[in-house]
Amino acid sequence: MVSYKDLGLVNTREMFAKAIEGGYAVPAFNFNNMEQLQAIIKAAAEEKSPVILQVSKGARNYANATLLRYMAQGAVAYAKELGWENPQICLHLDHGDSFELCKSCIDNGFSSVMIDGSHLPYEENVALTKQVVDYAHQFDVTVEGELGVLAGVEDEVSSDHHTYTDPEEVIDFATRTGCDSLAISIGTSHGAYKFTPDQCTRDPKTGKLVPPPLAFEVLDGVMEKLPGFPIVLHGSSSVPQEYVDTINKFGGKLPDAIGIPEEELRKAAKSAVCKINIDSDSRLAMTAAVREIFATKPGEFDPRKYLGPAREEMERLYKHKIENVLGSNGKA
């Protein structure tokens, strides 16, 4: 059993309480490799922002569970080297799909886990979430549950439709499971293709797709039922068109990729939404930088020469999200 406290990590309880009171959201950035982790920590340390390092089941398998534990411990040490005296860093399992996976992560130093039973019948979701909560709370690990289904594809998570969260269910779910935060569905979506062209309109001047607005009435209904309870938004990448354009320019194929407008995320961050998940944006930033170097410098074969610029671009992206979208800078 490895305690996250011995690794220098924190859980989300105090993070979220401060975020709700302060009217901002904590960034939850997914990572799969060292360059992403370096960029996240450097951005958070320089911005003095609390940060959640998110790892999916697939990312954990990719990085290796043992290496991941030491990467998290190293991230805390690196943050201190950068002058962040008291790093507020959480290691979180994103979209855990079983009790066994959540238990393994808790036993190996994760400070927070998500159990996603949203695809299950309601009572089964309640039972599974409560099982994870009962185990996690023994070790002061926080738990995120989910109500409602998000469309899109991200690692092992896939759905061709979304189902909005029912505000009438949230009190019962939160009370019976004891979860510490709740991911809800208000129209965000996983991946770089969050909406089909049929769901969007087109800007007559640019020809770019304009996504449908988020269902803030659902969020308002949840906040009314559970005032002050930590709410989470998944699938909240904005899919910056500059990255999509660069990828397509240098041989990629991402037609009609579209995300969530940043102004909608700013609005959510000022409400009870205290954690906003961002994954696809950093993948796009990294891929755009690598593709450009491969195309403009075809003789380059040193990974540092293309992963280094990719890391810098991701750091720029993370800082932008912290400062200009989530408002979490200077909060840690």
Side-chain angles (χ1 to χ4, degrees):
M1 179 75 191
V2 177
S3 170
Y4 71 86
K5 295 177 183 178
D6 292 337
L7 304 181
L9 301 166
V10 300
N11 66 26
T12 61
R13 194 169 291 117
E14 186 176 343
M15 259 187 200
F16 289 171
K18 289 181 177 179
I20 292 172
E21 183 179 351
Y24 61 90
V26 178
F29 296 131
N30 287 66
F31 79 99
N32 304 272
N33 59 28
M34 183 184 74
E35 284 78 16
Q36 285 178 306
L37 180 60
Q38 288 174 315
I40 292 169
I41 295 303
K42 193 172 181 189
E46 292 186 6
E47 295 291 336
K48 294 297 185 290
S49 168
V51 70
I52 296 168
L53 304 174
Q54 285 204 154
V55 182
S56 67
K57 176 182 177 180
R60 186 172 183 247
N61 291 337
Y62 178 83
N64 178 269
T66 302
L67 274 175
L68 191 60
R69 178 210 317 168
Y70 291 104
M71 288 174 77
Q73 187 174 23
V76 174
Y78 179 41
K80 291 181 178 179
E81 284 181 10
L82 292 170
W84 195 4
E85 294 181 7
N86 185 28
Q88 300 297 295
I89 300 172
C90 168
L91 180 63
H92 175 77
L93 171 66
D94 190 23
H95 286 289
D97 60 1
S98 68
F99 171 77
E100 290 73 22
L101 175 60
C102 291
K103 181 180 183 299
S104 176
C105 288
I106 293 165
D107 292 348
N108 281 278
F110 278 62
S111 56
S112 178
V113 295
M114 178 201 184
I115 179 64
D116 182 1
S118 61
H119 59 288
L120 299 171
Y122 179 76
E123 288 297 330
E124 292 181 29
N125 188 4
V126 169
L128 177 60
T129 304
K130 186 178 187 306
Q131 183 185 17
V132 172
V133 169
D134 288 346
Y135 185 78
H137 282 184
Q138 296 178 71
F139 308 101
D140 200 27
V141 170
T142 43
V143 178
E144 175 185 326
E146 180 164 357
L147 273 178
V149 178
L150 270 67
V153 178
E154 181 179 11
D155 286 359
E156 299 83 7
V157 182
S158 176
S159 178
D160 60 3
H161 72 285
H162 66 251
T163 303
Y164 288 149
T165 301
D166 182 356
E168 296 299 324
E169 292 180 340
V170 296
I171 296 177
D172 180 73
F173 186 86
T175 301
R176 290 172 60 192
T177 64
C179 64
D180 301 283
S181 60
L182 184 63
I184 65 171
S185 173
I186 63 170
T188 54
S189 182
H190 291 128
Y193 295 92
K194 299 189 183 300
F195 307 99
T196 65
D198 290 343
Q199 294 173 304
C200 304
T201 57
R202 283 196 184 271
D203 185 321
K205 293 182 179 179
T206 65
K208 299 285 188 181
L209 292 177
V210 179
L214 297 181
F216 279 99
E217 68 276 9
V218 176
L219 175 58
D220 292 340
V222 171
M223 290 167 57
E224 181 181 339
K225 298 293 183 181
L226 285 176
F229 194 82
I231 301 300
V232 176
L233 284 190
H234 284 241
S236 296
S237 284
S238 299
V239 188
Q241 289 304 299
E242 62 184 282
Y243 297 142
V244 174
D245 291 344
T246 299
I247 290 170
N248 290 338
K249 177 182 178 181
F250 294 111
K253 195 173 183 180
L254 290 174
D256 292 333
I258 188 169
I260 309 299
E262 290 187 340
E263 58 266 25
E264 298 221 308
L265 297 177
R266 290 189 196 98
K267 180 179 177 180
K270 293 177 180 177
S271 68
V273 173
C274 58
K275 173 178 179 270
I276 292 182
N277 294 9
I278 297 169
D279 184 2
S280 296
D281 285 355
S282 65
R283 298 185 186 196
L284 291 167
M286 186 174 208
T287 301
V290 170
R291 275 194 174 275
E292 183 168 1
I293 289 174
F294 282 173
T296 58
K297 300 178 180 179
E300 189 57 73
F301 65 94
D302 182 345
R304 295 170 295 181
K305 297 296 177 63
Y306 52 85
L307 292 179
R311 182 177 62 191
E312 292 173 6
E313 191 58 47
M314 287 189 291
E315 182 188 339
R316 187 181 75 81
L317 168 74
Y318 295 137
K319 286 181 176 179
H320 166 71
K321 296 292 184 180
I322 289 169
E323 285 184 27
N324 302 315
V325 181
L326 308 181
S328 60
N329 49 310
K331 302 299 193 298

